[in-house]
């Protein structure tokens, strides 16, 4: 079964269907509609957050689901806070909702040591009968997670820790580093805005690629166009 799932994901696109409560598309019904649209477009799998959204999506599409459970602090610090499925209870909730793969933050933030990360992964592996995807920001974290028993490595958090490379585009070098140092499937994720970037990720060693905001967050897509317009106007003003 797991071998079949890996093959289904190989060379495929995962579409992240997520929205926060301050966004107009927030809610389980909207997430399910997004997932249906992604399936119609040819997605190989869906990434979704929170049990209620995963349940709604599972009813509408028969694609594998990458499940996460974002536990948000009252004041969120993007660079330092660990929010992606940080506890066994949070992981169990998305598995019970129907997730086929559970993604967990495996970064060395908040004082976490390699031993702590590996113990966390081993706990998840022992208690949950699903694949575990370690979300990391550096090659070192990838090696730690691989040694801890992760089934998949994901570059999701590259650029979102203070010690990882801060880039405007996907971190292709990290994909290459992971491919060179581990035999685990690699999910490339983070700052994918154009189809050619996805193709480049596969060329550098990705097993699958996840795209979110560029497909399922209209306000982010709009911002990209507005940013380009502002750059054009500024160039006109300066004569460059």
């Amino acid at each position: 079964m797991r071998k079949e799932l890996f093959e289904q994901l190989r060379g495929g696109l995962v579409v992240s269907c997520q929205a926060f409560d301050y966004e107009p598309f927030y809610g389980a019904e909207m997430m399910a509609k997004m997932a249906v649209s992604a399936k119609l477009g040819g997605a190989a799998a869906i990434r979704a957050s929170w049990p209620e959204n995963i349940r709604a999506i599972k009813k509408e599409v028969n694609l594998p689901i990458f499940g996460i459970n974002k536990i948000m602090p009252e004041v969120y610090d993007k660079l330092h806070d660990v929010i992606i499925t940080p506890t066994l209870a949070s992981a169990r909730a998305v598995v019970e909702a129907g997730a086929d793969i559970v993604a967990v933050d495996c970064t060395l933030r908040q004082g976490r040591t390699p031993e702590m990360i590996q113990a966390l992964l081993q706990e998840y592996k022992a208690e949950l009968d699903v694949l575990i995807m370690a979300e990391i920001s550096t090659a070192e974290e990838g090696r730690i997670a691989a040694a801890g028993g992760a089934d998949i490595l994901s570059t999701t958090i590259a650029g979102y820790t203070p010690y990882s490379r801060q880039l405007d585009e996907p971190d292709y070098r990290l994909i290459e580093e992971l491919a060179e140092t581990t035999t685990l499937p690699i999910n490339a994720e983070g700052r994918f805005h154009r189809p050619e970037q996805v193709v480049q990720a596969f060329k550098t060693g990705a097993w699958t690629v996840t795209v979110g905001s560029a497909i399922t967050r209209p306000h982010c897509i709009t911002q990209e166009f507005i940013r380009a317009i502002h750059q054009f106007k500024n160039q006109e003003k300066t004569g460059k």
Side-chain angles (χ1 to χ4, degrees), residues 17-75:
C17 300
Q18 298 184 60
F20 287 102
D21 57 6
Y22 55 82
E23 296 176 6
F25 285 89
Y26 177 76
E29 182 180 358
M30 295 305 299
M31 294 302 100
K33 289 181 183 297
M34 284 185 179
V36 172
S37 294
K39 180 183 177 181
L40 288 172
I46 303 296
R47 177 183 173 95
S49 181
W50 301 310
E52 62 272 21
N53 293 336
I54 293 169
R55 286 192 198 93
I57 291 169
K58 199 74 174 180
K59 289 178 182 177
E60 299 296 330
V61 300
N62 59 354
L63 296 176
I65 296 179
F66 288 64
I68 64 175
N69 202 345
K70 290 182 178 177
I71 307 301
M72 304 299 297
E74 202 167 307
V75 179

Side-chain angles (χ1 to χ4, degrees), residues 169-170 172 191-202:
E169 292 204 338
Y172 301 114
R191 298 178 299 282
F192 283 94
H193 300 292
R194 301 184 304 278
E196 58 268 26
Q197 293 176 320
V198 173
V199 172
Q200 181 61 30
F202 284 121

Side-chain angles (χ1 to χ4, degrees), residues 21 30 62 80 96 124 135 149-151 171 201-202 208 240:
D21 57 6
M30 295 305 299
N62 59 354
H80 298 91
E96 291 173 352
Y124 284 29
E135 309 217 311
D151 298 296
D171 193 339
F202 284 121
T208 189
K240 296 180 180 179

Side-chain angles (χ1 to χ4, degrees), residues 180-239:
E180 290 167 359
T181 57
T182 179
T183 59
L184 294 181
I186 299 162
N187 172 59
E189 183 173 358
R191 298 178 299 282
F192 283 94
H193 300 292
R194 301 184 304 278
E196 58 268 26
Q197 293 176 320
V198 173
V199 172
Q200 181 61 30
F202 284 121
K203 288 180 179 178
T204 53
W207 185 274
T208 189
V209 178
T210 296
V211 178
S213 297
I215 296 176
T216 57
R217 300 182 78 192
H219 68 283
C220 292
I221 302 167
T222 303
Q223 286 170 354
E224 288 293 315
F225 285 95
I226 296 300
R227 189 175 295 113
I229 292 170
H230 286 166
Q231 289 174 350
F232 169 69
K233 288 180 177 180
N234 288 335
Q235 288 171 354
E236 279 196 325
K237 286 179 182 179
T238 59

Side-chain angles (χ1 to χ4, degrees), residues 134-171:
E135 309 217 311
I136 52 87
S137 67
T138 66
E140 178 193 7
E141 290 170 346
R143 289 190 289 270
I144 292 166
D151 298 296
I152 305 169
L153 299 178
S154 180
T155 64
T156 311
I157 311 180
Y160 299 101
T161 59
Y163 49 81
S164 59
R165 284 185 286 264
Q166 310 296 305
L167 305 171
D168 293 327
E169 292 204 338
D171 193 339

